[in-house]
Amino acid sequence: MLSLFAKSLLGAAAVLLIALLSKSKNFYIAGLVPLFPTFALIAHYIVATERTMEALRVTALFGLYSLLPYASYLIAVYYFSFRLSLPSTLSLATAIWALTAAMLLVVWSRTMIAA
């Protein structure tokens, strides 16, 4: 239970840092904070301690591929921010992330798991 509380504190710290940076003159750095591997560190630790180092390597490789849906989200935010309102931009970008993430899962499960 204590480890869950510590993990939630990491997430809260990330949100606080994003909020503070978004109000600074270097507001764009707030876009870097979500890329700090807070949750990846937690996931990698849990996978490596509960499974094997091979499982950790597979998890890291999948994490690299998961950058594709994130990139599609960022591209969509940038593109739609010129054309749509904020709620529409973020909603559509999130839908695009979900679609590309689903495509990644389908491709991964058909190619990597079978290998």
Side-chain angles (χ1 to χ4, degrees):
M1 187 65 157
L2 187 59
S3 68
L4 281 176
F5 182 70
K7 292 168 191 168
S8 67
L9 285 178
L10 285 173
V15 170
L16 182 61
L17 187 57
I18 291 168
L20 292 172
L21 285 170
S22 69
K23 295 178 181 183
S24 74
K25 76 173 191 169
N26 298 319
F27 60 88
Y28 50 86
I29 298 173
L32 183 61
V33 174
L35 298 176
F36 182 80
T38 306
F39 299 111
L41 286 167
I42 295 166
H44 293 155
Y45 179 81
I46 291 170
V47 168
T49 56
E50 293 184 4
R51 301 192 58 113
T52 64
M53 291 304 281
E54 175 60 26
L56 175 62
R57 287 188 288 274
V58 171
T59 303
L61 182 61
F62 185 78
L64 285 170
Y65 282 103
S66 72
L67 294 173
L68 296 171
Y70 187 65
S72 69
Y73 168 82
L74 292 177
I75 291 166
V77 166
Y78 184 79
Y79 177 80
F80 293 125
S81 69
F82 290 104
R83 293 158 178 77
L84 303 173
S85 67
L86 177 62
S88 296
T89 294
L90 297 180
S91 296
L92 198 49
T94 301
I96 289 170
W97 178 91
L99 178 64
T100 56
M103 290 168 34
L104 171 62
L105 289 171
V106 168
V107 170
W108 183 270
S109 65
R110 290 187 181 169
T111 59
M112 296 305 287
I113 294 175

